[in-house]
Amino acid sequence: MPRPILATIHTDALRHNLARMQSMAADARVWAIVKANAYGHGLERAFEGLRAADGFGLLDLSEAQRLRALDWRGPILLLEGCFEMRDLELCSRLGLWHVVHCTEQIDMLAAHKTQLPQRVFLKMNAGMNRLGFKPERYRAAWTRLNALPQVEEISLMAHFSDADGPVGISVQLEAFERVTRDLPGERSLSNSAATLRHVDQLAGRSDWVRPGIALYGSAPDFPLHSASDWDLQPAMTLSSRLIGVQELLPGDTVGYGSQFVAEFPMRVGVVACGYADGYPRHCGTGTPVLVNGVRTRTVGRVSMDMITVDLSPVPAAGMGSEVTLWGRSAAGAVLSIDEVARAAGTVGYELMCALAQRVPVQPI
Ligand SMILES: *Cc1c(COP(=O)(O)O)cnc(C)c1O
């Protein structure tokens, strides 16, 4: 028997989450964001559940090629645009739309020889200060792009820094609106957090929304809201089994560094899952985990290939019992990846993306 760890990708959950985002932004089209190998789910596997999207947003040309190989003929948007001249040829060949966020990318376009003018998304830096033209430089960039024969159509784009938190989007949305009010072109503004949390403010202002994390069933504003508050379902389950059981007496310790000390007689289960599988090493004692669908906690340090869990709430558990590290148990109990991420001081995004190569993945 192979080592029992497994990542399951839930195609029906991807479909459900996409439909949720479509209904949240009823008059907008949806870019399903599938960068980073569909947030660790596998581009080909995720595509199956997300094919009802209006387009796909990603970063890597190789991922764009994989989508075209799946026979996706609809829009694909390169979210960071082109990195060098050569990429523009591939954009022409594969019909990719691309973001333009800096002067150098306009220079490349101006030098690009093509019969087919391209569709670009001009990005404003509305305050995040990563990519994009500052509001006061935006119109000049637009004017220059608009004069290029290489450009077919310009859409307008921004990305909010605080859609998931208390600051919100008002200031950045206002900066975008002030500068773009009389410019033609479609607009694209919202990630998952903006789409879910700022529906009213954005109504009628966005032609394309760009959800990523919500499609995979994680709440962008956890712990303020959980995935189930937003009616999102986990698209990835990480599961394994107990491969050992130990009976502890008071004073016995568990794992490297003897970080956990038993206070009472108790049973602990040893799970075939460790940090080399992508389970975060920063999860200390008390991280939630399901055994036979029953919620319990990890004890002691996460090691490379194993973690240990408290079996007190599941006395019937033993060798071979089902363990759900995150996602959905066989009987349907859900442990959100966001709760595990919080225990590790990080976010669901990082855990999904960090699923290790050695973990077999099965779409259902
Ligand atoms: C990754 C990304 C998104 C998706 O963000 P989520 O928080 O995962 O919804 C949207 N827009 C851009 C430009 C991105 O890079």
Side-chain angles (χ1 to χ4, degrees), residues 21 31-35 39 57-59 77-80 99 123 128 130-131 157-160 164 188-195 209-216 220 349:
M21 299 314 278
W31 290 114
I33 304 301
V34 293
K35 61 192 178 190
Y39 290 50
L58 42 70
L59 310 181
L77 178 61
L78 298 179
L79 294 167
E80 292 181 348
V99 166
K123 185 159 186 177
M128 166 96 93
R130 293 190 319 189
L131 301 182
M157 172 178 172
H159 191 61
F160 301 121
D164 58 338
S188 178
L189 299 170
S190 321
N191 59 1
S192 300
T195 309
V209 292
R210 303 188 305 268
I213 195 71
L215 300 176
Y216 305 100
Y349 297 74

Side-chain angles (χ1 to χ4, degrees), residues 271-311:
V271 186
C273 173
Y275 62 77
D277 299 298
Y279 192 87
R281 188 175 173 281
H282 285 96
C283 285
T285 293
T287 303
V289 58
L290 308 180
V291 176
N292 287 342
V294 176
R295 199 178 159 102
T296 178
R297 57 175 183 146
T298 66
V299 293
R301 266 192 202 152
V302 173
S303 50
M304 188 170 183
D305 311 308
M306 281 172 265
I307 59 173
T308 11
V309 297
D310 183 356
L311 297 181

Side-chain angles (χ1 to χ4, degrees), residues 135-201:
E136 60 272 21
R137 322 257 327 254
Y138 191 80
R139 293 187 72 97
W142 187 90
T143 304
R144 199 179 152 213
L145 266 183
N146 193 46
L148 294 182
Q150 290 88 344
V151 173
E152 179 198 15
E153 190 176 331
I154 308 172
S155 301
L156 317 178
M157 172 178 172
H159 191 61
F160 301 121
S161 59
D162 288 85
D164 58 338
V167 171
I169 63 168
S170 303
V171 171
Q172 294 178 2
L173 178 60
E174 211 275 316
F176 179 84
E177 294 275 307
R178 188 165 17 90
V179 173
T180 60
R181 195 160 291 138
D182 57 346
L183 289 179
E186 293 184 336
R187 270 86 171 142
S188 178
L189 299 170
S190 321
N191 59 1
S192 300
T195 309
L196 289 167
R197 291 167 56 87
H198 304 286
V199 197
D200 298 337
Q201 247 180 313

Side-chain angles (χ1 to χ4, degrees), residues 48-306:
E48 199 44 45
L50 299 174
R51 60 196 312 155
D54 299 289
F56 290 89
L58 42 70
L59 310 181
D60 288 304
L61 283 153
S62 62
E63 290 185 340
Q65 281 173 308
R66 281 161 66 191
L67 268 183
R68 288 294 184 230
L70 293 167
D71 238 2
W72 172 254
R73 311 228 168 137
I76 297 177
L77 178 61
L78 298 179
L79 294 167
E80 292 181 348
C82 293
F83 304 98
E84 55 177 344
M85 283 292 300
R86 244 198 336 208
D87 300 347
L88 285 164
E89 282 157 35
L90 218 51
C91 288
S92 294
R93 190 133 44 85
L94 298 175
L96 309 180
W97 303 2
H98 51 101
V99 166
V100 171
H101 64 74
C102 62
T103 314
E104 291 76 4
Q105 287 177 329
I106 305 183
D107 296 341
M108 285 195 272
L109 255 175
H112 178 51
K113 296 191 182 14
T114 177
Q115 312 298 325
L116 291 173
Q118 302 193 343
R119 176 97 189 239
V120 299
F121 278 60
L122 181 61
K123 185 159 186 177
M124 181 185 296
N125 168 14
M128 166 96 93
N129 286 310
R130 293 190 319 189
L131 301 182
F133 292 90
K134 286 250 168 74
E136 60 272 21
R137 322 257 327 254
Y138 191 80
R139 293 187 72 97
W142 187 90
T143 304
R144 199 179 152 213
L145 266 183
N146 193 46
L148 294 182
Q150 290 88 344
V151 173
E152 179 198 15
E153 190 176 331
I154 308 172
S155 301
L156 317 178
M157 172 178 172
H159 191 61
F160 301 121
S161 59
D162 288 85
D164 58 338
V167 171
I169 63 168
S170 303
V171 171
Q172 294 178 2
L173 178 60
E174 211 275 316
F176 179 84
E177 294 275 307
R178 188 165 17 90
V179 173
T180 60
R181 195 160 291 138
D182 57 346
L183 289 179
E186 293 184 336
R187 270 86 171 142
S188 178
L189 299 170
S190 321
N191 59 1
S192 300
T195 309
L196 289 167
R197 291 167 56 87
H198 304 286
V199 197
D200 298 337
Q201 247 180 313
L202 289 163
R205 295 202 151 107
S206 193
D207 301 287
W208 289 91
V209 292
R210 303 188 305 268
I213 195 71
L215 300 176
Y216 305 100
S218 161
D221 59 349
F222 186 83
L224 197 61
H225 293 97
S226 68
S228 67
D229 290 341
W230 292 122
D231 185 22
L232 300 169
Q233 300 173 2
M236 179 193 289
T237 291
L238 183 64
S239 62
S240 190
R241 296 195 177 276
L242 295 186
I243 57 166
V245 175
Q246 299 291 342
E247 316 264 348
L248 305 185
L249 294 172
D252 284 349
T253 65
V254 178
Y256 286 117
S258 301
Q259 295 285 296
F260 178 77
V261 185
E263 285 179 41
F264 313 98
M266 65 185 285
R267 291 167 76 232
V268 295
V270 181
V271 186
C273 173
Y275 62 77
D277 299 298
Y279 192 87
R281 188 175 173 281
H282 285 96
C283 285
T285 293
T287 303
V289 58
L290 308 180
V291 176
N292 287 342
V294 176
R295 199 178 159 102
T296 178
R297 57 175 183 146
T298 66
V299 293
R301 266 192 202 152
V302 173
S303 50
M304 188 170 183
D305 311 308
M306 281 172 265

